[in-house]
Amino acid sequence: MIRFLVKAGLFYIIWQVVYDLIIYPDGRLDQFLATSVAILAKNGLALFGWDINAWDRLLVIDGYRGVVVLNECNALTLMSLYSGFIVAFQGPNKKRIIYILSGIGIIFILNVIRIMAFSLATVYFQHYWDIFHEFSSFIFFYPVILGIWYQWTLLSEESTQSQSEFSVA
Amino acid sequence: MDIIKRRKYPITIRVLCSLTLFSVFYITLVRPVRVYINQNYIAPFYLSLDQTQNSPINLTARRVNIQPDGYSSPRGFGIPFGGYFWLPFAFFIAARQKWFAIYLVGYHVYLGILPPYLAFLFIKQFSWAAVGLKVNETLFQGVFLISVFWGLKIILDQYKKEKNI
């Protein structure tokens, strides 16, 4: 447990320092995530018949307030938090890579849905938009992340058990 | 000699009671105290440091944010023992994980010391403290998520054991 916490803590510290000193000043990853999420959210809502426009990071449903996808809203931090757990918790390495990549993909898709929901919130409950925004992670991200982490720990326990059975045999 | 045995309630009841009790405790007592302490002691202290206006300070009810020129987003710290403490704490108490609960308390005591000091240094133009504050924010979220996960995992394991799943 302590080893896991130290590994996860180190992962988060290194990630944040790398982000602050390299990724954030470069800006391209943040820009890519924000604009791609905005475009996909726009296309998603247009598919359901909404009259919506997107300019760079800004999404506007015709006649309502706009939604801007800031760097803090592009889910990059959550992707790193998610990955840190998978990296730090013991388990088979091949599956670890699959879990990290698919988890990041899932978080990206969830963020597109979240931004779509933010746009719809400007239509249906603008007064509660700030509260919705504040607690959106608890609705869209955390249950899924915790669910995948749980699957990962089960997988890890299974592989540990099968390894110990193999060594006994 | 009398043997006093603690009555065993099902884990579902313990979780419900723990969440309800700590929610009521937080909303009625802890939250107002956090706001009071921030507005009457912490915020005035940081505002008094910001006399040069080089580091504009934004205050919310339970947070101090500093955003000097050149920073796209504010750096700061929240008043510890907020909802991000009480939710996992309630899980640990329900699951009777004394040591996890104590470690969590220790971590939030630390949050009341180091991040405010980093914010102080940041206002005093030590730019590296901005990185420290960001690292602290990431670790804070990580500790919260891992604590909630661990609490829920133990609760789920206990539930499976009770139901023989």
Side-chain angles (χ1 to χ4, degrees), chain A residues 32-34 36-42 44-45 48 59 69 73-76 78-79 82 100-118 136 139-141 144-145 148:
Chain A
F32 165 75
L33 283 172
S36 57
V37 162
I39 289 166
L40 287 170
K42 180 228 164 195
L45 285 172
F48 289 107
L59 277 171
V69 185
C73 293
N74 64 19
L76 191 57
L78 269 174
M79 289 172 187
Y82 164 80
I100 290 172
L101 293 178
S102 54
I104 287 172
I106 289 167
I107 292 169
F108 180 81
I109 292 164
L110 288 173
N111 200 30
V112 172
I113 296 168
R114 187 176 75 121
I115 300 298
M116 285 166 71
F118 285 160
S136 62
I139 302 166
F140 294 97
F141 293 125
V144 176
I145 288 176
I148 304 175

Side-chain angles (χ1 to χ4, degrees), chain A residues 11-29:
Chain A
F11 181 94
Y12 296 146
I13 291 168
I14 291 167
W15 156 257
Q16 192 57 57
V17 171
V18 168
Y19 176 80
D20 249 37
L21 299 180
I22 299 168
I23 299 171
Y24 173 69
D26 179 64
R28 281 181 294 183
L29 183 59

Side-chain angles (χ1 to χ4, degrees), chain A residues 1 4-5 8-9 12-13 16-17 20-21 24 72 77-78 81 85 89 138 142 146 149-150 153 157, chain B residues 71-73 75 84 87 100 130-131 134-135 138-139 141-142 144-146 148-150 152-153 156-157 160:
Chain A
M1 183 67 186
F4 158 72
L5 287 176
Y12 296 146
I13 291 168
Q16 192 57 57
V17 171
D20 249 37
L21 299 180
Y24 173 69
E72 292 74 20
T77 305
L78 269 174
L81 286 171
F85 183 97
F89 203 91
F138 287 85
Y142 295 165
L146 297 183
W149 282 358
Y150 185 64
T153 56
E157 282 163 13
Chain B
Y71 289 85
S72 73
S73 59
R75 312 287 168 113
Y84 277 49
L87 182 63
F100 282 124
V131 180
K134 269 286 182 192
V135 168
T138 306
L139 280 175
Q141 274 197 58
F144 167 71
L145 272 177
I146 290 172
V148 167
F149 171 77
W150 220 255
L152 285 174
K153 187 179 184 304
L156 195 61
D157 289 345
K160 282 179 175 175

